[in-house]
């Protein structure tokens, strides 16, 4: 309250986080963490009674395994190999009171499991070829009043970059820097009626795919030329929709120095 006037809402939260790590031979590192967040909110109802909303989020386990290697047997071909793997499980719970005193409230729970994986390789060629790949999968289960939502999301992407020398007759100030990227995202959500066995309906099924290519070089000390192209597809299987874009652009960037500002 402030000057005997009751607040509409008030709240507090507490967070606890623990983190530790272990370094193993061959450049391998293990990270372990856990987090807990607790919230409590007070709500003033229309009848001037007070309702309490409690929430809790716990992440356990949260393990990350990563490593970096410099293989001597392949030093003429590969300079660095890196990889990472993670698994994280998060549980959420909230208790929401009824709209009026004495009316039943609802309890909502969520469970989120994710495990991203990734790797990258740097080669020993003159063009500094570098390739990377990542994939991440997330499962989510939400318990709502009378309904259960089962969701799955997946994201994959790959990236390759390299520089190429240009002919001396072109008189460029830098080699050609190129990058090729591929990305795919998808997500599905199903609603399950926990009162009827086998009752299940698809709420969402959508995603996105893209392929991109970028190239740029320094034409002069203050002049950069870049070329960009992309093919992007967005789809929604639930509504039977598909949208495709093709983007192509060229940019000539000029940078100049105007002197000090007085």
């Amino acid at each position: 309250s402030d000057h005997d006037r009751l607040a509409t809402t008030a709240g507090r939260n507490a967070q606890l986080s623990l983190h530790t790590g272990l370094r193993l031979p061959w450049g391998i590192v293990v990270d372990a963490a856990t987090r807990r967040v607790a919230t409590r909110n007070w709500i003033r109802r229309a009848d001037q009674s007070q309702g309490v909303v409690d929430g809790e989020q716990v992440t356990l386990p949260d393990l990350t395994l990563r490593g970096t290697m410099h293989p001597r047997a392949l030093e003429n071909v590969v300079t660095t190999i890196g990889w990472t793997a993670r698994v994280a499980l998060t549980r959420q719970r909230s208790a929401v009171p009824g709209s009026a005193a004495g009316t039943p409230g609802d309890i909502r729970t969520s469970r989120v499991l994710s495990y991203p994986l990734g790797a990258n390789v740097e080669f020993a060629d003159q063009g500094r070829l570098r390739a990377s790949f990542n994939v991440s999968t997330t499962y989510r289960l939400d318990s709502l009043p009378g309904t259960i939502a089962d969701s799955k999301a997946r994201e994959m992407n790959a990236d390759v970059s390299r520089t190429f020398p240009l002919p001396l007759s072109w008189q460029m100030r830098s080699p050609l820097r190129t990058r090729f990227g591929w990305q795919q995202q998808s997500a599905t959500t199903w609603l399950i009626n926990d009162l009827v066995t086998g009752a299940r309906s698809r709420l969402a099924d959508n995603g996105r795919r893209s392929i991109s290519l970028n190239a740029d070089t320094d034409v002069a000390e203050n002049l950069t030329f870049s070329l960009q192209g992309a093919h992007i597809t967005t789809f929604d299987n639930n509504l039977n929709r598909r949208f495709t874009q093709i983007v192509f652009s060229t940019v000539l960037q000029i940078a100049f120095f105007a002197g000090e500002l007085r």
Side-chain angles (χ1 to χ4, degrees), residues 175-187:
L176 182 66
R177 299 178 291 266
T178 60
R179 176 182 174 271
F180 175 80
W182 171 81
Q183 186 180 46
Q184 177 173 313
Q185 299 172 334
S186 62

Side-chain angles (χ1 to χ4, degrees), residues 188-257:
T188 57
T189 301
W190 293 84
L191 292 182
I192 304 171
N193 190 338
D194 56 355
L195 300 178
V196 181
T197 304
R200 173 176 166 174
S201 60
R202 187 175 64 180
L203 180 64
D205 184 358
N206 50 52
R208 179 179 181 271
R209 301 186 187 96
S210 68
I211 298 175
S212 62
L213 177 63
N214 301 334
D216 65 88
T217 184
D218 296 331
V219 179
E221 184 177 356
N222 60 343
L223 192 63
T224 301
F225 175 79
S226 61
L227 177 68
Q228 300 177 352
H231 183 278
I232 305 171
T233 301
T234 304
F235 62 90
D236 190 334
N237 295 329
N238 209 36
L239 301 176
N240 194 23
R241 293 178 180 176
R242 187 176 298 270
F243 181 69
T244 301
Q245 294 175 284
I246 297 177
V247 181
F248 183 80
S249 65
T250 58
V251 178
L252 192 62
Q253 181 179 349
I254 302 175
F256 61 90
F257 180 64

Side-chain angles (χ1 to χ4, degrees), residues 32-248:
T34 180
R35 290 174 295 277
R36 181 182 183 272
V37 180
T39 62
R40 167 162 288 194
N41 294 275
W42 294 268
I43 301 176
R44 179 162 56 92
R45 299 189 181 97
D47 58 1
Q48 301 302 312
S49 62
Q50 180 177 275
V52 180
V53 179
D54 287 326
E56 183 184 44
Q57 176 178 302
V58 178
T59 301
L60 181 69
D62 186 353
L63 298 175
T64 302
L65 188 65
R66 52 189 172 89
T68 302
M69 297 181 294
H70 304 279
R72 295 183 178 180
L74 302 174
E75 60 182 4
N76 294 328
V77 180
V78 177
T79 59
T80 305
I81 299 176
W83 54 272
T84 179
R86 182 189 178 199
V87 58
L89 177 61
T90 300
R91 300 178 179 88
Q92 299 175 337
R93 182 182 184 276
S94 63
V96 182
S99 58
T103 58
D106 64 77
I107 297 177
R108 303 188 177 194
T109 60
S110 299
R111 181 178 181 271
V112 182
L113 175 63
S114 62
Y115 46 92
L117 304 172
N120 62 84
V121 180
E122 294 184 7
F123 294 87
D125 64 329
Q126 294 182 352
R128 297 182 179 180
L129 177 63
R130 186 180 187 275
S132 64
F133 178 80
N134 296 278
V135 57
S136 176
T137 305
T138 302
Y139 295 96
R140 183 182 183 98
L141 192 66
D142 295 303
S143 177
L144 308 174
T147 306
I148 297 175
D150 188 2
S151 305
K152 177 184 177 181
R154 173 168 290 179
E155 179 177 354
M156 296 183 292
N157 62 78
D159 186 276
V160 179
S161 61
R162 192 184 189 277
T163 60
F164 294 91
L166 296 174
L168 296 178
S169 60
W170 291 13
Q171 297 182 358
M172 297 296 179
R173 295 183 61 88
S174 71
L176 182 66
R177 299 178 291 266
T178 60
R179 176 182 174 271
F180 175 80
W182 171 81
Q183 186 180 46
Q184 177 173 313
Q185 299 172 334
S186 62
T188 57
T189 301
W190 293 84
L191 292 182
I192 304 171
N193 190 338
D194 56 355
L195 300 178
V196 181
T197 304
R200 173 176 166 174
S201 60
R202 187 175 64 180
L203 180 64
D205 184 358
N206 50 52
R208 179 179 181 271
R209 301 186 187 96
S210 68
I211 298 175
S212 62
L213 177 63
N214 301 334
D216 65 88
T217 184
D218 296 331
V219 179
E221 184 177 356
N222 60 343
L223 192 63
T224 301
F225 175 79
S226 61
L227 177 68
Q228 300 177 352
H231 183 278
I232 305 171
T233 301
T234 304
F235 62 90
D236 190 334
N237 295 329
N238 209 36
L239 301 176
N240 194 23
R241 293 178 180 176
R242 187 176 298 270
F243 181 69
T244 301
Q245 294 175 284
I246 297 177
V247 181
F248 183 80

Side-chain angles (χ1 to χ4, degrees), residues 4-15:
D4 298 327
R5 185 178 182 86
L6 291 177
T8 303
T9 61
R12 72 180 182 191
N13 66 81
Q15 179 174 341

